[in-house]
């Protein structure tokens, strides 16, 4: 459980902040923005508050049940923390946008995706050959040296 304190903290943070602002949020939350910077997909505010905590919980369960058995490295916990942290950041930005605190929509997603790609790209240099993530071609799976070169 100590290893997963970050995940539990993210779940609780999303729920608590959502419940704090529940009375200030509109009945329908925008969850997707078109290229014209206006929301084009809406959900009920209760769904909007709990969708990311549920996504974090499902990610944690899938990671614990499936991925832990396939690959046993510290990198897995780091990837889980990056994913759950990203969900939390997206959830907070979603709530702030619906509270009219932010006026950034499309630009923010590009920056966030870029940061995630940079972080995961740097982590992939440390990944050992595995059947789950990385460049998995016939050539790259021949041996550790080919794996390292392709990733």
């Amino acid at each position: 459980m100590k290893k997963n304190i970050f995940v539990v903290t993210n779940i609780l943070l999303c729920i608590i902040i959502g419940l704090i602002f529940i009375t200030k949020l509109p009945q329908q939350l925008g969850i997707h923005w078109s290229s014209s910077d206006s929301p084009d997909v809406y959900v009920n505010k209760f769904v909007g508050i709990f969708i990311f905590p549920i996504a974090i919980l499902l990610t944690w369960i899938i990671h614990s049940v499936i991925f832990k058995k396939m690959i046993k490295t510290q990198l897995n916990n780091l990837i889980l923390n990056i994913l759950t942290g990203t969900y939390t950041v997206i959830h907070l930005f979603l709530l702030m946008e619906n509270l009219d605190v932010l006026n950034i929509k499309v630009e923010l997603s590009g920056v966030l995706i870029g940061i995630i790609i940079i972080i995961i790209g740097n982590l992939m240099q440390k990944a050992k050959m595995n059947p789950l993530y990385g460049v998995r071609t016939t050539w790259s799976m021949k041996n550790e040296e080919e794996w390292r070169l392709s990733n």
Side-chain angles (χ1 to χ4, degrees), residues 13 20 28 49 69-70 72 76 83 89 97 129 134 137:
L13 180 68
I20 287 171
Q28 296 291 313
I49 288 172
K69 292 178 182 176
M70 292 176 75
K72 295 176 178 155
N76 285 331
L83 285 172
V89 169
E97 182 59 40
M129 191 168 25
T137 63

Side-chain angles (χ1 to χ4, degrees), residues 136-151:
R136 296 175 316 275
T137 63
T138 306
W139 177 77
S140 67
M141 298 295 279
K142 283 184 180 178
N143 58 46
E144 284 290 330
E145 179 62 21
E146 302 297 336
W147 171 264
R148 190 186 62 70
L149 286 173
S150 61
N151 285 285

Side-chain angles (χ1 to χ4, degrees), residues 16-150:
I16 291 168
I17 290 176
L19 292 176
I20 287 171
F21 292 108
I22 196 165
T23 58
K24 293 180 174 72
L25 288 167
Q27 199 58 28
Q28 296 291 313
L29 297 182
I31 61 167
H32 185 270
W33 279 258
S34 67
S35 59
S36 62
D37 288 344
S38 60
D40 59 357
V41 178
Y42 294 89
V43 296
N44 181 287
K45 70 177 167 182
F46 294 103
V47 173
I49 288 172
F50 291 107
I51 197 165
F52 280 100
I54 291 170
I56 294 170
L57 183 62
L58 289 174
T59 302
W60 184 19
I61 291 169
I62 290 169
H63 179 329
S64 299
V65 173
I66 298 172
F67 298 156
K68 279 284 193 192
K69 292 178 182 176
M70 292 176 75
I71 306 162
K72 295 176 178 155
T73 64
Q74 287 183 333
L75 189 59
N76 285 331
N77 288 332
L78 189 56
I79 289 172
L80 176 65
N81 288 341
I82 290 170
L83 285 172
T84 57
T86 303
Y87 287 158
T88 303
V89 169
I90 292 170
H91 180 72
L92 296 176
F93 279 115
L94 180 81
L95 293 178
M96 287 191 292
E97 182 59 40
N98 281 282
L99 290 167
D100 288 330
V101 175
L102 290 178
N103 288 323
I104 338 170
K105 294 153 198 94
V106 177
E107 300 85 8
L108 179 66
S109 62
V111 170
L112 190 59
I113 290 168
I115 291 169
I116 292 167
I117 288 172
I118 289 169
I119 291 170
I120 291 178
N122 285 321
L123 292 174
M124 286 308 299
Q125 295 175 7
K126 299 173 185 148
K128 300 215 184 288
M129 191 168 25
N130 66 78
L132 185 60
Y133 50 82
V135 178
R136 296 175 316 275
T137 63
T138 306
W139 177 77
S140 67
M141 298 295 279
K142 283 184 180 178
N143 58 46
E144 284 290 330
E145 179 62 21
E146 302 297 336
W147 171 264
R148 190 186 62 70
L149 286 173
S150 61

